[in-house]
Amino acid sequence: MSSTGNADAHALFISDLHLSESRPDITAQFIQFLGHTANHAEALYILGDLFEYWAGDDDLTDPHHHSIIQALAGLTQQGIACYLIHGNRDFLMGATFAHAARLEILPDPSMRNLYGHQVLLSHGDALCTDDVAYQAFRRQVRQPEWQRHFLQQPLAARKAQIEALRMRSEEEKNIKAESIMDVNAGAVADLLRAHGYPRIFIHGHTHRPALHQLDIDGHAIERWVLGDWYEQGSCLELRQSGCRVLRPGRNAGDRWQ
Ligand code: LP5
Ligand code: MN
């Protein structure tokens, strides 16, 4: 998308919602967000981990998933473009999911030209290069051949394996140093160099919302880290004048400010 020259035109960025039937309040907040805030944007970018986990596109008909997919499809039907980058929890979302939700899956990372800004988008997990155990796991499960084999198993068997993996992941996260689970500064610099020093870099995954003002080889770059949706929602807005964090309103139906 190119700059529209309209000062009111904007795109929204969210990540790490971890939507799950066990937290209906957050699902309700997301559906309210789509209907009262995202509907004013030109585009919504979901930068990974929309779901607590995604076991395969044959889980589309699950009632909780269905309500979210319907709400996403409704946004596109109102003329708002919706894009998604895979997270480490939901990288098995495929073409069937994308078609049902009426959204476009973008590669990780992706460059966009938005309102005159060069913007790089990513989930962010690939930048946690000090987490050697996670990166080895990531390489394995991102292989098409591994995924093909995994998806051949019955849905219930896949879910059971993912639940077991979730428990192991939580145990390992408890003993990993906090610094290991953050992005590696050298990996960030290499990525920004390889993409020609974009003005803005937006990612999630670490659940450490912040703006980092970087200087990479003399180029000023804003690295915006999105927050998760565990306690309440988190969203970044980008327009011609730049980025700002939006906060939920006091009441459920309020537009985020
Ligand atoms: O997600 P989060 O932030 O809590 O933790 C991540 C890393 N953990 C994960 C695991 C996911 O949470 C589990 C859900 C994935 C669903 C994907 C479906 C398809 C795969 C199914 C495979 C059975 O991503 C965590 C990071 C943390 O971010 C911070 O960056 O530290 O990484 C781990 O804890 C992983 C362990 O360090 C290594 C686990 C090795 C497990 C090997 C078992 C083999 C299983 C299957 C074959 C490959
Ligand atoms: Mn993640």
Side-chain angles (χ1 to χ4, degrees):
M1 192 196 302
S2 60
S3 166
T4 63
N6 173 357
D8 203 38
H10 62 277
L12 298 176
F13 302 84
I14 56 174
S15 72
D16 303 285
L17 291 86
H18 296 242
L19 298 178
S20 152
E21 210 175 352
S22 64
R23 291 187 308 127
D25 49 327
I26 299 297
T27 300
Q29 192 183 17
F30 177 55
I31 290 174
Q32 292 274 1
F33 166 81
L34 293 178
H36 297 279
T37 300
N39 60 326
H40 295 279
E42 285 194 326
L44 173 68
Y45 290 84
I46 302 169
L47 302 187
D49 289 355
L50 173 63
F51 291 104
E52 176 69 0
Y53 65 76
W54 189 256
D57 283 2
D58 50 346
D59 206 10
L60 277 176
T61 50
D62 165 88
H64 177 250
H65 291 163
H66 185 72
S67 63
I68 293 160
I69 287 162
Q70 288 300 106
L72 284 166
L75 193 65
T76 306
Q77 280 153 4
Q78 294 172 71
I80 293 107
C82 191
Y83 302 97
L84 179 139
I85 287 180
H86 285 146
N88 58 298
R89 304 285 194 101
D90 51 16
F91 60 85
L92 289 175
M93 288 189 295
T96 308
F97 167 83
H99 179 75
R102 303 277 187 272
L103 54 76
E104 184 182 339
I105 297 180
L106 301 175
D108 185 358
S110 281
M111 277 290 280
R112 313 292 284 185
N113 186 337
L114 297 170
Y115 314 112
H117 306 286
Q118 285 295 109
V119 186
L120 184 65
L121 305 173
S122 175
H123 179 57
D125 58 318
L127 296 170
C128 300
T129 53
D130 297 324
D131 195 340
V132 175
Y134 171 66
Q135 294 300 334
F137 166 75
R138 187 181 193 276
R139 275 192 296 279
Q140 187 170 1
V141 297
R142 295 301 179 106
Q143 289 171 11
E145 184 56 25
W146 184 90
Q147 293 185 8
R148 202 180 54 76
H149 188 255
F150 183 71
L151 290 170
Q152 276 171 358
Q153 301 174 65
L155 181 59
R158 275 177 269 147
K159 285 189 173 180
Q161 287 174 70
I162 293 171
E163 301 281 356
L165 174 61
R166 285 284 318 123
M167 281 170 63
R168 176 161 168 190
S169 176
E170 286 305 309
E171 282 165 17
E172 294 200 13
K173 276 166 44 181
N174 281 336
I175 51 175
K176 282 178 191 171
E178 284 292 321
S179 59
I180 283 179
M181 292 187 286
D182 202 352
V183 298
N184 174 286
V188 170
D190 287 348
L191 182 76
L192 295 170
R193 257 180 220 116
H195 287 82
Y197 308 101
R199 268 263 299 124
I200 297 170
F201 174 37
I202 307 173
H203 71 86
H205 181 67
T206 61
H207 304 188
R208 302 176 199 209
L211 165 61
H212 301 268
Q213 302 275 9
L214 306 180
D215 177 335
I216 310 286
D217 308 333
H219 298 263
I221 300 175
E222 294 180 0
R223 176 168 77 90
W224 289 89
V225 186
L226 302 173
D228 62 67
W229 284 49
Y230 279 123
E231 303 296 329
Q232 59 165 19
S234 169
C235 177
L236 189 72
E237 179 199 81
L238 171 64
R239 59 178 71 218
Q240 222 169 37
S241 53
C243 287
R244 73 182 179 110
V245 173
L246 294 190
R247 309 256 176 231
R250 198 182 295 264
N251 301 306
D254 291 349
R255 184 173 168 182
W256 292 29
Q257 298 293 331

Coordinates of all heavy atoms in Angstrom, one line a residue, residues 16 18 49 51-56 87-92 123-126 128 131-142 146-147 150-151 153 157-174 176-178 180-183 205-208 230, ligand 1:
D16 N 0.2 -11.3 19.5 CA 0.2 -12.0 20.8 C -1.1 -11.9 21.5 O -1.1 -11.6 22.7 CB 1.4 -11.5 21.6 CG 2.7 -11.6 20.9 OD1 3.2 -12.8 20.8 OD2 3.2 -10.7 20.3
H18 N -3.2 -14.5 21.7 CA -3.2 -15.8 22.3 C -4.7 -16.2 22.6 O -5.0 -16.7 23.7 CB -2.4 -15.9 23.6 CG -0.9 -15.8 23.3 ND1 0.0 -16.7 23.6 CD2 -0.2 -14.7 22.8 CE1 1.2 -16.3 23.2 NE2 1.1 -15.1 22.7
D49 N 0.7 -15.0 16.6 CA 0.2 -15.5 17.8 C -1.2 -14.9 18.1 O -1.5 -14.4 19.2 CB 1.1 -15.3 19.0 CG 2.3 -16.2 19.0 OD1 2.4 -17.1 18.1 OD2 3.2 -16.1 19.8
F51 N -3.8 -16.9 17.9 CA -4.4 -17.9 18.7 C -3.4 -18.5 19.7 O -2.2 -18.4 19.5 CB -4.8 -19.1 17.8 CG -6.0 -18.7 17.0 CD1 -5.9 -18.4 15.6 CD2 -7.3 -18.6 17.5 CE1 -7.0 -18.1 14.8 CE2 -8.4 -18.2 16.8 CZ -8.2 -18.0 15.4
E52 N -3.9 -19.0 20.8 CA -3.0 -19.7 21.8 C -2.2 -20.8 21.1 O -1.0 -20.9 21.4 CB -3.9 -20.3 22.9 CG -3.2 -21.1 24.0 CD -2.4 -20.3 24.9 OE1 -2.3 -19.0 24.7 OE2 -1.7 -20.9 25.8
Y53 N -2.9 -21.5 20.2 CA -2.1 -22.3 19.3 C -3.1 -22.7 18.1 O -4.3 -22.7 18.3 CB -1.5 -23.6 19.9 CG -2.4 -24.6 20.5 CD1 -3.1 -25.5 19.6 CD2 -2.6 -24.7 21.9 CE1 -4.0 -26.4 20.2 CE2 -3.5 -25.7 22.4 CZ -4.2 -26.5 21.5 OH -5.0 -27.5 22.0
W54 N -2.5 -23.1 17.0 CA -3.3 -23.5 15.8 C -2.8 -24.9 15.4 O -1.6 -25.0 15.0 CB -3.1 -22.5 14.7 CG -4.1 -22.7 13.6 CD1 -3.8 -23.3 12.4 CD2 -5.5 -22.4 13.6 NE1 -4.9 -23.4 11.6 CE2 -6.0 -22.8 12.3 CE3 -6.4 -21.9 14.5 CZ2 -7.3 -22.7 12.0 CZ3 -7.7 -21.7 14.1 CH2 -8.2 -22.1 12.9
A55 N -3.6 -25.9 15.5 CA -3.2 -27.3 15.2 C -3.4 -27.7 13.8 O -3.0 -28.8 13.4 CB -4.0 -28.2 16.1
G56 N -4.0 -26.8 13.0 CA -4.2 -27.2 11.6 C -5.6 -26.6 11.1 O -6.5 -26.3 11.9
G87 N 2.9 -16.5 13.8 CA 3.7 -16.5 15.1 C 4.2 -17.9 15.4 O 3.9 -18.8 14.6
N88 N 4.9 -18.0 16.5 CA 5.5 -19.4 16.8 C 4.3 -20.3 17.3 O 4.5 -21.5 17.4 CB 6.6 -19.3 17.9 CG 6.1 -18.6 19.1 OD1 5.7 -17.4 19.1 ND2 6.1 -19.3 20.2
R89 N 3.2 -19.7 17.7 CA 2.1 -20.5 18.1 C 1.1 -21.0 17.0 O 0.4 -21.9 17.2 CB 1.2 -19.7 19.1 CG 2.0 -19.2 20.3 CD 2.3 -20.3 21.3 NE 2.7 -19.7 22.6 CZ 1.9 -19.6 23.7 NH1 0.7 -20.1 23.6 NH2 2.4 -19.2 24.8
D90 N 1.1 -20.2 15.9 CA 0.1 -20.4 14.9 C 0.6 -20.4 13.5 O -0.1 -20.1 12.5 CB -1.1 -19.4 15.1 CG -0.6 -18.0 15.1 OD1 0.5 -17.7 14.7 OD2 -1.4 -17.1 15.5
F91 N 1.8 -20.9 13.3 CA 2.4 -21.0 12.0 C 1.8 -22.0 11.1 O 2.1 -22.1 9.9 CB 4.0 -21.2 12.1 CG 4.4 -22.4 12.8 CD1 4.4 -23.6 12.1 CD2 4.7 -22.4 14.1 CE1 4.8 -24.8 12.7 CE2 5.0 -23.6 14.8 CZ 5.1 -24.8 14.1
L92 N 0.9 -22.9 11.7 CA 0.3 -23.9 10.9 C -1.0 -23.3 10.2 O -1.7 -24.1 9.5 CB -0.1 -25.1 11.7 CG 1.2 -26.0 12.1 CD1 0.7 -27.1 13.0 CD2 1.9 -26.5 10.8
H123 N 7.1 -11.3 13.3 CA 6.6 -11.7 14.6 C 7.7 -11.4 15.6 O 7.4 -10.9 16.7 CB 6.3 -13.2 14.6 CG 5.8 -13.7 15.9 ND1 4.7 -13.1 16.6 CD2 6.3 -14.6 16.8 CE1 4.6 -13.7 17.7 NE2 5.5 -14.6 17.9
G124 N 8.9 -11.8 15.3 CA 10.0 -11.5 16.2 C 10.8 -12.7 16.8 O 11.9 -12.5 17.3
D125 N 10.2 -13.8 16.8 CA 10.8 -15.0 17.4 C 12.1 -15.4 16.7 O 13.0 -15.9 17.4 CB 9.8 -16.2 17.5 CG 9.3 -16.6 16.1 OD1 9.0 -15.7 15.3 OD2 9.3 -17.8 15.8
A126 N 12.2 -15.2 15.4 CA 13.5 -15.5 14.7 C 14.6 -14.7 15.2 O 15.8 -15.1 14.9 CB 13.3 -15.4 13.2
C128 N 15.3 -14.1 18.3 CA 15.8 -14.5 19.7 C 16.8 -15.6 19.5 O 16.7 -16.7 19.9 CB 14.6 -15.0 20.5 SG 13.3 -13.8 20.7
D131 N 18.4 -17.9 22.2 CA 17.6 -19.1 22.7 C 17.8 -20.2 21.8 O 17.0 -20.6 20.9 CB 16.1 -18.6 22.7 CG 15.2 -19.6 23.5 OD1 15.6 -20.7 23.7 OD2 14.1 -19.1 23.9
V132 N 19.0 -20.9 22.0 CA 19.4 -21.9 21.0 C 18.5 -23.1 20.9 O 18.2 -23.6 19.8 CB 20.9 -22.3 21.4 CG1 21.4 -23.5 20.5 CG2 21.8 -21.2 21.4
A133 N 17.9 -23.5 22.1 CA 17.0 -24.7 22.1 C 15.8 -24.3 21.3 O 15.3 -25.1 20.5 CB 16.6 -25.0 23.5
Y134 N 15.3 -23.1 21.4 CA 14.1 -22.7 20.7 C 14.4 -22.6 19.2 O 13.6 -23.1 18.4 CB 13.5 -21.4 21.2 CG 12.4 -20.9 20.3 CD1 11.2 -21.6 20.1 CD2 12.6 -19.8 19.4 CE1 10.2 -21.2 19.2 CE2 11.6 -19.4 18.5 CZ 10.5 -20.2 18.4 OH 9.5 -19.8 17.4
Q135 N 15.5 -22.1 18.8 CA 15.8 -21.9 17.4 C 16.0 -23.3 16.7 O 15.6 -23.4 15.6 CB 17.1 -21.1 17.2 CG 16.9 -19.6 17.6 CD 15.8 -18.9 16.9 OE1 15.5 -19.2 15.7 NE2 15.2 -17.8 17.5
A136 N 16.5 -24.3 17.5 CA 16.6 -25.6 16.9 C 15.2 -26.2 16.7 O 15.0 -26.8 15.6 CB 17.4 -26.5 17.8
F137 N 14.4 -26.0 17.6 CA 13.0 -26.5 17.5 C 12.3 -25.8 16.4 O 11.6 -26.4 15.5 CB 12.3 -26.2 18.8 CG 10.8 -26.3 18.8 CD1 10.2 -27.6 18.7 CD2 10.0 -25.2 18.7 CE1 8.8 -27.7 18.6 CE2 8.6 -25.3 18.6 CZ 8.0 -26.5 18.6
R138 N 12.5 -24.5 16.3 CA 11.9 -23.7 15.2 C 12.3 -24.2 13.8 O 11.5 -24.3 12.9 CB 12.3 -22.2 15.4 CG 11.5 -21.3 14.4 CD 12.0 -19.8 14.6 NE 11.1 -18.9 14.0 CZ 11.2 -18.5 12.7 NH1 12.1 -19.0 11.9 NH2 10.3 -17.6 12.2
R139 N 13.6 -24.4 13.6 CA 14.1 -24.9 12.3 C 13.4 -26.2 11.9 O 13.0 -26.4 10.8 CB 15.6 -25.1 12.4 CG 16.4 -23.9 12.1 CD 17.9 -24.2 11.8 NE 18.5 -24.8 13.0 CZ 19.0 -24.1 14.0 NH1 18.9 -22.8 14.1 NH2 19.6 -24.7 15.1
Q140 N 13.2 -27.1 12.9 CA 12.6 -28.4 12.7 C 11.1 -28.2 12.2 O 10.7 -28.7 11.2 CB 12.7 -29.2 13.9 CG 12.2 -30.7 13.6 CD 12.5 -31.6 14.8 OE1 13.1 -31.2 15.8 NE2 12.2 -32.8 14.7
V141 N 10.3 -27.5 13.0 CA 8.9 -27.4 12.8 C 8.5 -26.5 11.6 O 7.4 -26.5 11.1 CB 8.1 -27.1 14.1 CG1 8.3 -28.1 15.1 CG2 8.4 -25.7 14.6
R142 N 9.5 -25.7 11.2 CA 9.2 -24.8 10.0 C 9.5 -25.5 8.7 O 9.2 -25.0 7.6 CB 9.9 -23.5 10.1 CG 9.5 -22.6 11.3 CD 8.1 -22.2 11.2 NE 7.7 -21.4 12.4 CZ 7.4 -20.1 12.3 NH1 7.5 -19.5 11.2 NH2 7.1 -19.4 13.4
W146 N 8.3 -31.7 7.6 CA 7.8 -32.0 9.0 C 6.4 -31.6 9.2 O 5.6 -32.4 9.7 CB 8.7 -31.2 10.0 CG 8.3 -31.5 11.4 CD1 8.9 -32.5 12.2 CD2 7.3 -30.9 12.2 NE1 8.2 -32.5 13.4 CE2 7.3 -31.6 13.4 CE3 6.4 -29.9 11.9 CZ2 6.4 -31.2 14.4 CZ3 5.5 -29.5 12.9 CH2 5.5 -30.2 14.2
Q147 N 6.0 -30.5 8.6 CA 4.6 -30.0 8.7 C 3.6 -31.0 8.0 O 2.5 -31.3 8.5 CB 4.4 -28.6 8.2 CG 5.2 -27.6 9.1 CD 5.0 -26.1 8.7 OE1 4.2 -25.8 7.8 NE2 5.8 -25.3 9.3
F150 N 3.2 -34.0 10.2 CA 2.5 -33.6 11.4 C 1.0 -33.5 11.1 O 0.2 -34.0 11.9 CB 3.0 -32.3 12.0 CG 2.4 -31.9 13.3 CD1 2.6 -32.6 14.5 CD2 1.5 -30.8 13.4 CE1 2.0 -32.3 15.7 CE2 0.9 -30.5 14.6 CZ 1.1 -31.2 15.7
L151 N 0.7 -32.8 10.0 CA -0.7 -32.6 9.7 C -1.5 -33.8 9.2 O -2.7 -33.8 9.1 CB -0.8 -31.5 8.6 CG -0.4 -30.1 9.1 CD1 -0.3 -29.1 8.0 CD2 -1.4 -29.6 10.2
Q153 N -1.6 -36.5 10.9 CA -2.1 -37.1 12.1 C -3.5 -36.6 12.5 O -3.8 -35.5 12.1 CB -1.2 -36.9 13.3 CG 0.2 -37.4 13.1 CD 1.1 -36.9 14.2 OE1 0.9 -37.4 15.4 NE2 2.1 -36.1 14.0
A157 N -4.8 -36.0 18.1 CA -3.5 -36.4 18.4 C -2.5 -35.2 18.3 O -1.6 -35.1 19.1 CB -3.0 -37.5 17.4
R158 N -2.8 -34.4 17.3 CA -1.9 -33.1 17.2 C -2.1 -32.2 18.4 O -1.1 -31.7 19.0 CB -2.3 -32.4 15.9 CG -1.7 -32.9 14.7 CD -2.2 -32.1 13.5 NE -3.3 -32.8 12.9 CZ -4.4 -32.2 12.3 NH1 -4.4 -30.9 12.2 NH2 -5.3 -32.9 11.8
K159 N -3.4 -32.1 18.8 CA -3.6 -31.2 20.0 C -2.9 -31.7 21.2 O -2.4 -31.0 22.0 CB -5.1 -31.0 20.2 CG -5.8 -30.1 19.2 CD -7.2 -29.9 19.6 CE -7.8 -28.8 18.7 NZ -9.2 -28.5 19.0
A160 N -3.0 -33.0 21.4 CA -2.3 -33.6 22.6 C -0.8 -33.4 22.6 O -0.2 -33.1 23.6 CB -2.6 -35.1 22.6
Q161 N -0.2 -33.5 21.4 CA 1.2 -33.2 21.3 C 1.6 -31.8 21.6 O 2.6 -31.4 22.2 CB 1.8 -33.6 20.0 CG 1.8 -35.1 19.7 CD 2.2 -35.4 18.3 OE1 3.3 -35.2 17.9 NE2 1.2 -35.9 17.5
I162 N 0.7 -30.9 21.1 CA 0.9 -29.5 21.3 C 0.8 -29.1 22.8 O 1.6 -28.4 23.4 CB 0.0 -28.6 20.4 CG1 0.4 -28.8 19.0 CG2 0.0 -27.1 20.8 CD1 -0.6 -28.2 18.0
E163 N -0.3 -29.7 23.4 CA -0.5 -29.4 24.9 C 0.8 -29.9 25.7 O 1.2 -29.2 26.6 CB -1.7 -30.2 25.4 CG -3.0 -29.8 24.7 CD -3.6 -28.5 25.2 OE1 -3.1 -27.9 26.1 OE2 -4.7 -28.1 24.6
A164 N 1.3 -31.0 25.3 CA 2.5 -31.5 26.0 C 3.7 -30.6 25.7 O 4.5 -30.3 26.6 CB 2.9 -33.0 25.5
L165 N 3.8 -30.1 24.5 CA 4.9 -29.2 24.2 C 4.7 -27.9 24.9 O 5.7 -27.3 25.4 CB 4.9 -28.9 22.7 CG 5.9 -27.9 22.1 CD1 7.3 -28.3 22.4 CD2 5.7 -27.7 20.6
R166 N 3.5 -27.4 25.1 CA 3.2 -26.2 25.8 C 3.8 -26.3 27.3 O 4.4 -25.4 27.8 CB 1.7 -25.9 25.8 CG 1.1 -25.3 24.6 CD 1.5 -23.9 24.3 NE 1.4 -23.1 25.5 CZ 2.4 -22.3 26.0 NH1 3.5 -22.3 25.3 NH2 2.2 -21.6 27.0
M167 N 3.5 -27.5 27.9 CA 4.0 -27.7 29.2 C 5.5 -27.7 29.3 O 6.1 -27.0 30.2 CB 3.4 -29.0 29.8 CG 2.0 -28.9 30.2 SD 1.2 -30.5 30.6 CE 2.2 -31.1 31.9
R168 N 6.1 -28.3 28.4 CA 7.6 -28.3 28.3 C 8.1 -27.0 28.1 O 9.1 -26.5 28.8 CB 8.0 -29.3 27.3 CG 9.5 -29.3 27.1 CD 10.1 -30.5 26.5 NE 11.5 -30.4 26.1 CZ 12.2 -31.2 25.4 NH1 11.6 -32.2 24.8 NH2 13.4 -30.9 25.1
S169 N 7.5 -26.2 27.2 CA 7.9 -24.9 26.9 C 7.9 -24.0 28.1 O 8.8 -23.2 28.5 CB 7.1 -24.3 25.8 OG 7.4 -23.0 25.5
E170 N 6.8 -24.1 28.9 CA 6.6 -23.3 30.1 C 7.7 -23.7 31.2 O 8.2 -22.8 31.8 CB 5.2 -23.5 30.7 CG 4.1 -22.8 29.9 CD 4.3 -21.3 29.7 OE1 4.6 -20.6 30.7 OE2 4.3 -20.8 28.6
E171 N 7.9 -25.0 31.3 CA 9.0 -25.4 32.2 C 10.3 -24.8 31.8 O 11.1 -24.3 32.7 CB 9.1 -26.9 32.2 CG 8.0 -27.6 33.0 CD 7.9 -29.1 32.7 OE1 8.9 -29.7 32.1 OE2 6.9 -29.7 33.0
E172 N 10.6 -24.9 30.5 CA 11.9 -24.4 30.1 C 12.1 -22.9 30.2 O 13.1 -22.4 30.5 CB 12.2 -24.8 28.6 CG 12.3 -26.4 28.6 CD 13.1 -26.9 27.3 OE1 13.7 -26.1 26.6 OE2 13.0 -28.1 27.1
K173 N 10.9 -22.2 29.9 CA 11.0 -20.7 30.1 C 11.2 -20.3 31.5 O 11.9 -19.3 31.7 CB 9.6 -20.1 29.6 CG 9.6 -20.0 28.1 CD 8.2 -19.7 27.5 CE 7.4 -18.7 28.2 NZ 6.1 -18.5 27.6
N174 N 10.8 -21.1 32.5 CA 11.0 -20.8 33.9 C 12.5 -20.8 34.3 O 12.9 -20.1 35.2 CB 10.3 -21.8 34.8 CG 8.8 -21.4 34.9 OD1 8.5 -20.3 34.7 ND2 8.0 -22.4 35.2
K176 N 15.0 -20.5 31.8 CA 15.9 -19.7 30.9 C 16.0 -18.2 31.4 O 15.1 -17.7 32.0 CB 15.2 -19.5 29.5 CG 15.3 -20.8 28.6 CD 14.5 -20.6 27.3 CE 14.4 -21.9 26.6 NZ 13.5 -21.9 25.4
A177 N 17.2 -17.7 31.2 CA 17.4 -16.3 31.7 C 16.6 -15.4 30.8 O 16.3 -15.6 29.6 CB 18.9 -15.9 31.5
E178 N 16.0 -14.3 31.4 CA 15.2 -13.3 30.7 C 15.9 -12.8 29.5 O 15.2 -12.6 28.4 CB 14.8 -12.1 31.7 CG 13.8 -12.5 32.7 CD 12.4 -12.7 32.1 OE1 12.1 -12.0 31.2 OE2 11.7 -13.6 32.6
I180 N 17.9 -14.2 27.5 CA 18.0 -15.2 26.4 C 16.7 -15.1 25.6 O 16.6 -15.4 24.4 CB 18.2 -16.6 27.0 CG1 19.6 -16.8 27.4 CG2 17.7 -17.7 26.0 CD1 19.9 -18.1 28.0
M181 N 15.6 -14.8 26.3 CA 14.2 -14.8 25.6 C 13.9 -13.4 25.0 O 12.8 -13.2 24.6 CB 13.2 -15.2 26.6 CG 13.4 -16.7 27.0 SD 12.0 -17.4 28.0 CE 12.4 -16.6 29.6
D182 N 14.9 -12.5 24.9 CA 14.6 -11.2 24.2 C 15.3 -11.3 22.9 O 16.1 -12.3 22.6 CB 15.2 -10.1 25.0 CG 14.5 -8.7 24.7 OD1 13.8 -8.7 23.7 OD2 14.8 -7.8 25.3
V183 N 15.1 -10.3 22.0 CA 15.7 -10.3 20.7 C 17.2 -10.1 20.9 O 17.6 -9.4 21.9 CB 15.1 -9.3 19.8 CG1 13.7 -9.6 19.5 CG2 15.3 -7.9 20.3
H205 N 6.1 -10.9 20.0 CA 6.6 -12.1 20.5 C 7.2 -12.0 22.0 O 6.9 -12.8 22.8 CB 7.7 -12.7 19.6 CG 8.2 -14.0 20.2 ND1 7.4 -15.1 20.3 CD2 9.4 -14.4 20.7 CE1 8.1 -16.1 20.9 NE2 9.3 -15.7 21.1
T206 N 8.0 -11.0 22.2 CA 8.7 -10.9 23.5 C 7.7 -10.4 24.7 O 8.1 -10.6 25.9 CB 9.9 -10.0 23.5 OG1 9.4 -8.7 23.2 CG2 10.9 -10.5 22.4
H207 N 6.6 -9.9 24.4 CA 5.7 -9.3 25.4 C 6.4 -8.3 26.2 O 6.1 -8.2 27.4 CB 5.1 -10.5 26.3 CG 4.5 -11.6 25.6 ND1 3.8 -12.6 26.2 CD2 4.4 -11.9 24.2 CE1 3.3 -13.5 25.3 NE2 3.7 -13.1 24.1
R208 N 7.2 -7.5 25.6 CA 7.9 -6.4 26.3 C 7.7 -5.1 25.5 O 8.6 -4.6 24.8 CB 9.4 -6.7 26.3 CG 9.8 -8.0 27.0 CD 11.3 -8.2 27.0 NE 11.5 -9.6 27.2 CZ 12.6 -10.1 27.7 NH1 13.6 -9.3 28.1 NH2 12.8 -11.4 27.9
Y230 N -2.8 -10.4 27.3 CA -3.2 -11.2 28.5 C -4.1 -10.5 29.5 O -5.1 -11.0 29.9 CB -1.9 -11.7 29.2 CG -1.3 -12.9 28.5 CD1 0.0 -12.9 28.1 CD2 -2.1 -14.1 28.3 CE1 0.6 -14.0 27.5 CE2 -1.5 -15.2 27.7 CZ -0.2 -15.2 27.3 OH 0.3 -16.2 26.6
Ligands
LP5_1 O1 5.1 -19.3 23.0 P1 5.8 -18.8 24.1 O2 6.1 -17.4 24.1 O3 5.2 -19.3 25.5 O4 7.3 -19.6 24.1 C1 8.1 -19.5 23.0 C2 8.8 -20.8 22.8 N1 7.9 -21.9 22.9 C3 7.3 -22.4 21.8 C4 6.3 -23.5 21.9 C5 4.9 -23.1 21.8 O5 4.5 -22.2 22.8 C6 4.0 -24.3 21.8 C7 2.8 -24.2 20.9 C8 3.3 -24.4 19.4 C9 2.2 -24.8 18.6 C10 2.7 -25.1 17.2 C11 2.0 -26.3 16.6 C12 3.0 -27.2 15.8 C13 4.1 -27.8 16.6 C14 3.8 -29.0 17.3 C15 4.9 -29.8 17.8 C16 4.5 -30.9 18.6 O6 7.3 -21.8 20.7 C17 9.9 -21.0 23.8 C18 10.8 -19.7 23.8 C19 9.9 -18.5 24.1 O7 8.9 -18.4 23.1 C20 10.7 -17.2 24.1 O8 11.2 -16.9 22.9 O9 11.8 -19.9 24.8 O10 10.7 -22.1 23.4 C21 10.7 -23.2 24.1 O11 10.5 -23.2 25.3 C22 11.1 -24.4 23.3 C23 12.1 -25.3 24.0 O12 13.3 -24.5 24.5 C24 12.6 -26.4 23.1 C25 11.5 -27.4 23.0 C26 12.0 -28.6 22.3 C27 10.8 -29.6 22.2 C28 11.2 -30.7 21.4 C29 10.1 -31.7 21.4 C30 9.8 -32.2 20.0 C31 8.4 -32.0 19.6 C32 8.1 -32.2 18.3 C33 9.0 -32.3 17.2 C34 9.8 -31.3 16.7

